[in-house]
Amino acid sequence: MTTTLITGANKGLGHETARRLVAAGHTVYIGSRDAERGRRAAERLGTRMVVLDVTDDASVAAAAKTIEADGGLDVLINNAGIEERMADGGVAGPAEITAEMMQRVFDTNVFGVVRVTHAFLPLLQRSAAPVVVNVSSGLASLTRTADPDTPGFGYPGVAYPASKVAVNMITVQYAKAFPDMRINAVEPGYTATDLNQHMGPQTVEEGAEIIVRMARLGPDGPTGGYFDIGGPIPW
């Protein structure tokens, strides 16, 4: 039985990923900052739940101890993420962005990935087929975002894409350091979730597809890559 932890999984892409992996036979833990929302989601999904705030060392350590006591971990999906928005609902562009805004986004999207991965590495290293999936974004592709002919070119925000570029580098460096693990970054696509005020044209079912696919990799699967549903995408 494969045991999987998904951070930020009480709603959105994480919730749908959990549903799909339960159907595939995984034992799934959903991580949720809010215990009650996590409990309700776990009841709906048939999963286990751990209170897990990726910005809090003690919360992450407690979740790791719980899952270790229950038998260990095979797959970690770093899904929790935020996007900084201003009072009018727009994203902060170069003229509005502040260091404080950047810090809030990076604390969840970047430092949270490192915090959780570090805490769960000992458990993953005991697995026969360890996998880490880091949920990135197409906006992290410098190649695409700099190209006026791509949709990402028009995105005005700074903090969110910068944080996901950092996630991509983290992915590459961890994959090199731990060649026995399958560690990849994924681009789910522009999916309608709370993150983007449900403006994305994709459904969560469509967006979760690449996350689920990479979570189910075997030991001979790719590592250190950046993928969307169509395959590898440019950095």
Side-chain angles (χ1 to χ4, degrees):
M1 180 72 75
T2 300
T3 300
T4 299
L5 167 65
I6 309 169
T7 65
N10 62 283
K11 61 181 180 178
L13 284 169
H15 187 278
E16 175 61 18
T17 299
R19 186 188 70 79
R20 295 272 298 279
L21 290 176
V22 167
H26 287 218
T27 296
V28 176
Y29 287 85
I30 60 170
S32 174
R33 287 181 301 175
D34 185 287
E36 181 57 25
R37 289 179 181 174
R39 183 191 63 77
R40 291 198 300 266
E43 287 180 355
R44 287 194 302 271
L45 294 164
T47 67
R48 302 177 186 183
M49 190 277 288
V50 287
V51 175
L52 200 165
D53 179 348
V54 303
T55 68
D56 183 80
D57 288 333
S59 174
V60 172
K65 286 182 180 178
T66 295
I67 293 175
E68 181 178 26
D70 285 348
L73 187 70
D74 303 294
V75 179
L76 169 62
I77 301 175
N78 285 307
N79 168 72
I82 63 171
E83 181 182 48
E84 185 68 30
R85 289 192 174 269
M86 298 182 295
D88 64 1
V91 297
E96 300 85 22
I97 194 69
T98 66
E100 184 180 6
M101 291 177 182
M102 291 284 287
Q103 189 171 28
R104 280 197 295 269
V105 173
F106 269 61
D107 197 21
T108 295
N109 296 6
V110 180
F111 309 145
V113 170
V114 174
R115 186 176 285 114
V116 172
T117 305
H118 179 76
F120 284 92
L121 268 174
L123 278 65
L124 291 165
Q125 288 174 304
R126 296 173 204 161
S127 171
V131 172
V132 178
V133 180
N134 293 327
V135 178
S136 183
S137 168
L139 295 171
S141 171
L142 297 175
T143 302
R144 290 184 174 180
T145 306
D147 182 351
D149 293 327
T150 65
F153 182 82
Y155 180 83
V158 176
Y160 182 77
S163 74
K164 294 302 186 177
V165 171
V167 167
N168 284 0
M169 178 58 76
I170 289 166
T171 301
V172 170
Q173 296 299 83
Y174 272 78
K176 290 191 295 185
F178 301 100
D180 292 335
M181 298 187 188
R182 305 298 90 188
I183 305 176
N184 293 287
V186 299
E187 142 67 331
Y190 193 14
T191 303
T193 66
D194 286 354
L195 181 77
N196 55 45
Q197 300 178 326
H198 293 269
M199 292 187 293
Q202 285 191 161
T203 65
V204 289
E205 289 81 6
E206 292 169 319
E209 177 64 31
I210 186 61
I211 307 174
V212 172
R213 181 185 300 178
M214 301 309 283
R216 299 184 67 190
L217 285 181
D220 58 346
T223 192
Y226 179 31
F227 300 89
D228 68 8
I229 196 62
I233 59 177
W235 302 103

